[in-house]
Amino acid sequence: MRVTETYVIRATPDAVWKIGGDTANVADWIPALEKSHQHGDLRYATFANDGGEATERIVHHDDPQRSYTYEYVSGPLPLSFYSSNFTVNPHPEGAEVGWSAEFASTSPESESELAAAITGIYRSALIELASHTEAQRGPVSVE
């Protein structure tokens, strides 16, 4: 299954990437997470409300392209496969953030419920990322 969320943020792509591209500190702007940290290519994220800890592997990180890809290694979600891509691109109003995932559930009948949960996490996180970056921005000028 595949889910995709996009969101336009009124800040420069570099300002958005400075926060969104910091793979170790995603809990700073993802409301579903209580805390996060990273050792090497492994990121550890603790879900809020005693939701457990997930381990993810950062498999690709490209600062010039403002993009990274990560995979779910282990955690509380019933996933047999999960690969996600986060990108920040220029947009006439600032930056367009794209966040997509391809995944399979360990229980096929729960895939649509899982897709809704992942979409909700992405959407609320992008709104929070916007509030973090828009609060810090000056005038937006996109080339």
PDB file of all heavy atoms in Angstrom, residues 92-115:
ATOM      1  N   PRO A  92       6.215  28.219  -5.385  1.00  0.00           N
ATOM      2  CA  PRO A  92       6.021  29.667  -5.491  1.00  0.00           C
ATOM      3  C   PRO A  92       5.681  30.357  -4.164  1.00  0.00           C
ATOM      4  O   PRO A  92       5.986  31.533  -3.981  1.00  0.00           O
ATOM      5  CB  PRO A  92       4.855  29.800  -6.490  1.00  0.00           C
ATOM      6  CG  PRO A  92       4.935  28.559  -7.316  1.00  0.00           C
ATOM      7  CD  PRO A  92       5.435  27.482  -6.377  1.00  0.00           C
ATOM      8  N   GLU A  93       5.081  29.630  -3.236  1.00  0.00           N
ATOM      9  CA  GLU A  93       4.737  30.219  -1.942  1.00  0.00           C
ATOM     10  C   GLU A  93       5.748  29.888  -0.848  1.00  0.00           C
ATOM     11  O   GLU A  93       5.524  30.217   0.314  1.00  0.00           O
ATOM     12  CB  GLU A  93       3.345  29.755  -1.521  1.00  0.00           C
ATOM     13  CG  GLU A  93       2.257  30.258  -2.442  1.00  0.00           C
ATOM     14  CD  GLU A  93       0.882  29.773  -2.030  1.00  0.00           C
ATOM     15  OE1 GLU A  93       0.686  29.450  -0.841  1.00  0.00           O
ATOM     16  OE2 GLU A  93       0.018  29.698  -2.910  1.00  0.00           O
ATOM     17  N   GLY A  94       6.838  29.212  -1.193  1.00  0.00           N
ATOM     18  CA  GLY A  94       7.850  28.850  -0.192  1.00  0.00           C
ATOM     19  C   GLY A  94       8.441  27.492  -0.465  1.00  0.00           C
ATOM     20  O   GLY A  94       9.317  27.334  -1.302  1.00  0.00           O
ATOM     21  N   ALA A  95       7.945  26.479   0.238  1.00  0.00           N
ATOM     22  CA  ALA A  95       8.466  25.115   0.098  1.00  0.00           C
ATOM     23  C   ALA A  95       7.314  24.129   0.084  1.00  0.00           C
ATOM     24  O   ALA A  95       6.334  24.292   0.813  1.00  0.00           O
ATOM     25  CB  ALA A  95       9.405  24.789   1.256  1.00  0.00           C
ATOM     26  N   GLU A  96       7.449  23.116  -0.750  1.00  0.00           N
ATOM     27  CA  GLU A  96       6.477  22.035  -0.758  1.00  0.00           C
ATOM     28  C   GLU A  96       7.152  20.798  -0.170  1.00  0.00           C
ATOM     29  O   GLU A  96       8.181  20.353  -0.670  1.00  0.00           O
ATOM     30  CB  GLU A  96       5.983  21.717  -2.164  1.00  0.00           C
ATOM     31  CG  GLU A  96       4.935  20.605  -2.159  1.00  0.00           C
ATOM     32  CD  GLU A  96       4.406  20.311  -3.542  1.00  0.00           C
ATOM     33  OE1 GLU A  96       5.198  19.876  -4.393  1.00  0.00           O
ATOM     34  OE2 GLU A  96       3.202  20.533  -3.750  1.00  0.00           O
ATOM     35  N   VAL A  97       6.570  20.286   0.891  1.00  0.00           N
ATOM     36  CA  VAL A  97       7.104  19.097   1.545  1.00  0.00           C
ATOM     37  C   VAL A  97       6.280  17.903   1.092  1.00  0.00           C
ATOM     38  O   VAL A  97       5.048  17.931   1.136  1.00  0.00           O
ATOM     39  CB  VAL A  97       7.046  19.224   3.081  1.00  0.00           C
ATOM     40  CG1 VAL A  97       7.635  17.988   3.747  1.00  0.00           C
ATOM     41  CG2 VAL A  97       7.769  20.485   3.544  1.00  0.00           C
ATOM     42  N   GLY A  98       6.977  16.867   0.654  1.00  0.00           N
ATOM     43  CA  GLY A  98       6.324  15.624   0.280  1.00  0.00           C
ATOM     44  C   GLY A  98       6.785  14.508   1.192  1.00  0.00           C
ATOM     45  O   GLY A  98       7.973  14.403   1.503  1.00  0.00           O
ATOM     46  N   TRP A  99       5.841  13.723   1.652  1.00  0.00           N
ATOM     47  CA  TRP A  99       6.169  12.603   2.544  1.00  0.00           C
ATOM     48  C   TRP A  99       5.338  11.415   2.085  1.00  0.00           C
ATOM     49  O   TRP A  99       4.107  11.469   2.075  1.00  0.00           O
ATOM     50  CB  TRP A  99       5.817  12.982   3.968  1.00  0.00           C
ATOM     51  CG  TRP A  99       6.483  12.202   5.048  1.00  0.00           C
ATOM     52  CD1 TRP A  99       7.274  11.095   4.924  1.00  0.00           C
ATOM     53  CD2 TRP A  99       6.413  12.485   6.443  1.00  0.00           C
ATOM     54  NE1 TRP A  99       7.690  10.666   6.161  1.00  0.00           N
ATOM     55  CE2 TRP A  99       7.182  11.514   7.111  1.00  0.00           C
ATOM     56  CE3 TRP A  99       5.766  13.454   7.194  1.00  0.00           C
ATOM     57  CZ2 TRP A  99       7.325  11.493   8.487  1.00  0.00           C
ATOM     58  CZ3 TRP A  99       5.907  13.432   8.557  1.00  0.00           C
ATOM     59  CH2 TRP A  99       6.685  12.463   9.199  1.00  0.00           C
ATOM     60  N   SER A 100       6.007  10.376   1.656  1.00  0.00           N
ATOM     61  CA  SER A 100       5.295   9.215   1.141  1.00  0.00           C
ATOM     62  C   SER A 100       5.853   7.941   1.759  1.00  0.00           C
ATOM     63  O   SER A 100       6.999   7.919   2.225  1.00  0.00           O
ATOM     64  CB  SER A 100       5.399   9.146  -0.379  1.00  0.00           C
ATOM     65  OG  SER A 100       6.740   8.968  -0.763  1.00  0.00           O
ATOM     66  N   ALA A 101       5.037   6.912   1.731  1.00  0.00           N
ATOM     67  CA  ALA A 101       5.467   5.620   2.253  1.00  0.00           C
ATOM     68  C   ALA A 101       4.864   4.506   1.423  1.00  0.00           C
ATOM     69  O   ALA A 101       3.730   4.612   0.952  1.00  0.00           O
ATOM     70  CB  ALA A 101       5.045   5.450   3.710  1.00  0.00           C
ATOM     71  N   GLU A 102       5.639   3.462   1.250  1.00  0.00           N
ATOM     72  CA  GLU A 102       5.136   2.197   0.721  1.00  0.00           C
ATOM     73  C   GLU A 102       5.282   1.206   1.860  1.00  0.00           C
ATOM     74  O   GLU A 102       6.327   1.163   2.513  1.00  0.00           O
ATOM     75  CB  GLU A 102       5.945   1.753  -0.489  1.00  0.00           C
ATOM     76  CG  GLU A 102       5.630   2.558  -1.728  1.00  0.00           C
ATOM     77  CD  GLU A 102       6.190   1.928  -2.983  1.00  0.00           C
ATOM     78  OE1 GLU A 102       6.060   0.695  -3.137  1.00  0.00           O
ATOM     79  OE2 GLU A 102       6.758   2.670  -3.777  1.00  0.00           O
ATOM     80  N   PHE A 103       4.240   0.439   2.104  1.00  0.00           N
ATOM     81  CA  PHE A 103       4.295  -0.477   3.234  1.00  0.00           C
ATOM     82  C   PHE A 103       3.382  -1.664   3.021  1.00  0.00           C
ATOM     83  O   PHE A 103       2.490  -1.652   2.171  1.00  0.00           O
ATOM     84  CB  PHE A 103       3.926   0.249   4.536  1.00  0.00           C
ATOM     85  CG  PHE A 103       2.491   0.678   4.599  1.00  0.00           C
ATOM     86  CD1 PHE A 103       1.533  -0.139   5.178  1.00  0.00           C
ATOM     87  CD2 PHE A 103       2.100   1.895   4.075  1.00  0.00           C
ATOM     88  CE1 PHE A 103       0.209   0.247   5.228  1.00  0.00           C
ATOM     89  CE2 PHE A 103       0.777   2.292   4.119  1.00  0.00           C
ATOM     90  CZ  PHE A 103      -0.169   1.470   4.702  1.00  0.00           C
ATOM     91  N   ALA A 104       3.614  -2.666   3.830  1.00  0.00           N
ATOM     92  CA  ALA A 104       2.730  -3.826   3.906  1.00  0.00           C
ATOM     93  C   ALA A 104       2.550  -4.163   5.375  1.00  0.00           C
ATOM     94  O   ALA A 104       3.508  -4.135   6.156  1.00  0.00           O
ATOM     95  CB  ALA A 104       3.325  -5.015   3.157  1.00  0.00           C
ATOM     96  N   SER A 105       1.337  -4.472   5.743  1.00  0.00           N
ATOM     97  CA  SER A 105       1.025  -4.840   7.115  1.00  0.00           C
ATOM     98  C   SER A 105       1.266  -6.335   7.314  1.00  0.00           C
ATOM     99  O   SER A 105       1.193  -7.121   6.373  1.00  0.00           O
ATOM    100  CB  SER A 105      -0.433  -4.508   7.418  1.00  0.00           C
ATOM    101  OG  SER A 105      -0.800  -4.989   8.693  1.00  0.00           O
ATOM    102  N   THR A 106       1.540  -6.714   8.549  1.00  0.00           N
ATOM    103  CA  THR A 106       1.650  -8.142   8.858  1.00  0.00           C
ATOM    104  C   THR A 106       0.279  -8.805   8.772  1.00  0.00           C
ATOM    105  O   THR A 106       0.180 -10.022   8.689  1.00  0.00           O
ATOM    106  CB  THR A 106       2.241  -8.360  10.263  1.00  0.00           C
ATOM    107  OG1 THR A 106       1.445  -7.642  11.216  1.00  0.00           O
ATOM    108  CG2 THR A 106       3.682  -7.885  10.339  1.00  0.00           C
ATOM    109  N   SER A 107      -0.774  -7.987   8.799  1.00  0.00           N
ATOM    110  CA  SER A 107      -2.143  -8.474   8.681  1.00  0.00           C
ATOM    111  C   SER A 107      -2.829  -7.681   7.563  1.00  0.00           C
ATOM    112  O   SER A 107      -3.214  -6.530   7.772  1.00  0.00           O
ATOM    113  CB  SER A 107      -2.865  -8.259  10.014  1.00  0.00           C
ATOM    114  OG  SER A 107      -4.228  -8.492   9.874  1.00  0.00           O
ATOM    115  N   PRO A 108      -2.967  -8.257   6.369  1.00  0.00           N
ATOM    116  CA  PRO A 108      -3.527  -7.518   5.237  1.00  0.00           C
ATOM    117  C   PRO A 108      -4.863  -6.838   5.527  1.00  0.00           C
ATOM    118  O   PRO A 108      -5.128  -5.760   5.003  1.00  0.00           O
ATOM    119  CB  PRO A 108      -3.672  -8.578   4.145  1.00  0.00           C
ATOM    120  CG  PRO A 108      -2.669  -9.617   4.494  1.00  0.00           C
ATOM    121  CD  PRO A 108      -2.596  -9.627   5.994  1.00  0.00           C
ATOM    122  N   GLU A 109      -5.689  -7.426   6.372  1.00  0.00           N
ATOM    123  CA  GLU A 109      -6.977  -6.799   6.668  1.00  0.00           C
ATOM    124  C   GLU A 109      -6.846  -5.513   7.475  1.00  0.00           C
ATOM    125  O   GLU A 109      -7.772  -4.726   7.545  1.00  0.00           O
ATOM    126  CB  GLU A 109      -7.960  -7.770   7.339  1.00  0.00           C
ATOM    127  CG  GLU A 109      -7.474  -8.544   8.527  1.00  0.00           C
ATOM    128  CD  GLU A 109      -6.618  -9.769   8.194  1.00  0.00           C
ATOM    129  OE1 GLU A 109      -6.556 -10.213   7.040  1.00  0.00           O
ATOM    130  OE2 GLU A 109      -5.982 -10.271   9.131  1.00  0.00           O
ATOM    131  N   SER A 110      -5.667  -5.265   8.070  1.00  0.00           N
ATOM    132  CA  SER A 110      -5.473  -4.028   8.833  1.00  0.00           C
ATOM    133  C   SER A 110      -4.763  -2.939   8.022  1.00  0.00           C
ATOM    134  O   SER A 110      -4.512  -1.858   8.547  1.00  0.00           O
ATOM    135  CB  SER A 110      -4.677  -4.321  10.107  1.00  0.00           C
ATOM    136  OG  SER A 110      -3.331  -4.620   9.789  1.00  0.00           O
ATOM    137  N   GLU A 111      -4.468  -3.194   6.738  1.00  0.00           N
ATOM    138  CA  GLU A 111      -3.710  -2.220   5.940  1.00  0.00           C
ATOM    139  C   GLU A 111      -4.419  -0.881   5.792  1.00  0.00           C
ATOM    140  O   GLU A 111      -3.788   0.163   5.891  1.00  0.00           O
ATOM    141  CB  GLU A 111      -3.336  -2.789   4.567  1.00  0.00           C
ATOM    142  CG  GLU A 111      -2.079  -3.595   4.637  1.00  0.00           C
ATOM    143  CD  GLU A 111      -1.497  -3.949   3.278  1.00  0.00           C
ATOM    144  OE1 GLU A 111      -2.081  -3.616   2.234  1.00  0.00           O
ATOM    145  OE2 GLU A 111      -0.422  -4.571   3.292  1.00  0.00           O
ATOM    146  N   SER A 112      -5.725  -0.875   5.569  1.00  0.00           N
ATOM    147  CA  SER A 112      -6.407   0.407   5.384  1.00  0.00           C
ATOM    148  C   SER A 112      -6.418   1.213   6.686  1.00  0.00           C
ATOM    149  O   SER A 112      -6.264   2.434   6.670  1.00  0.00           O
ATOM    150  CB  SER A 112      -7.823   0.215   4.841  1.00  0.00           C
ATOM    151  OG  SER A 112      -8.602  -0.536   5.726  1.00  0.00           O
ATOM    152  N   GLU A 113      -6.570   0.532   7.812  1.00  0.00           N
ATOM    153  CA  GLU A 113      -6.517   1.214   9.112  1.00  0.00           C
ATOM    154  C   GLU A 113      -5.118   1.778   9.361  1.00  0.00           C
ATOM    155  O   GLU A 113      -4.953   2.903   9.838  1.00  0.00           O
ATOM    156  CB  GLU A 113      -6.901   0.228  10.219  1.00  0.00           C
ATOM    157  CG  GLU A 113      -6.947   0.841  11.596  1.00  0.00           C
ATOM    158  CD  GLU A 113      -7.364  -0.193  12.644  1.00  0.00           C
ATOM    159  OE1 GLU A 113      -8.345  -0.925  12.412  1.00  0.00           O
ATOM    160  OE2 GLU A 113      -6.685  -0.250  13.686  1.00  0.00           O
ATOM    161  N   LEU A 114      -4.107   1.011   9.020  1.00  0.00           N
ATOM    162  CA  LEU A 114      -2.722   1.454   9.168  1.00  0.00           C
ATOM    163  C   LEU A 114      -2.432   2.633   8.241  1.00  0.00           C
ATOM    164  O   LEU A 114      -1.773   3.597   8.640  1.00  0.00           O
ATOM    165  CB  LEU A 114      -1.780   0.283   8.892  1.00  0.00           C
ATOM    166  CG  LEU A 114      -0.342   0.409   9.335  1.00  0.00           C
ATOM    167  CD1 LEU A 114      -0.215   0.783  10.796  1.00  0.00           C
ATOM    168  CD2 LEU A 114       0.380  -0.913   9.075  1.00  0.00           C
ATOM    169  N   ALA A 115      -2.941   2.585   7.013  1.00  0.00           N
ATOM    170  CA  ALA A 115      -2.760   3.692   6.066  1.00  0.00           C
ATOM    171  C   ALA A 115      -3.374   4.976   6.619  1.00  0.00           C
ATOM    172  O   ALA A 115      -2.768   6.055   6.526  1.00  0.00           O
ATOM    173  CB  ALA A 115      -3.375   3.349   4.717  1.00  0.00           C
TER     174      ALA A 115
END
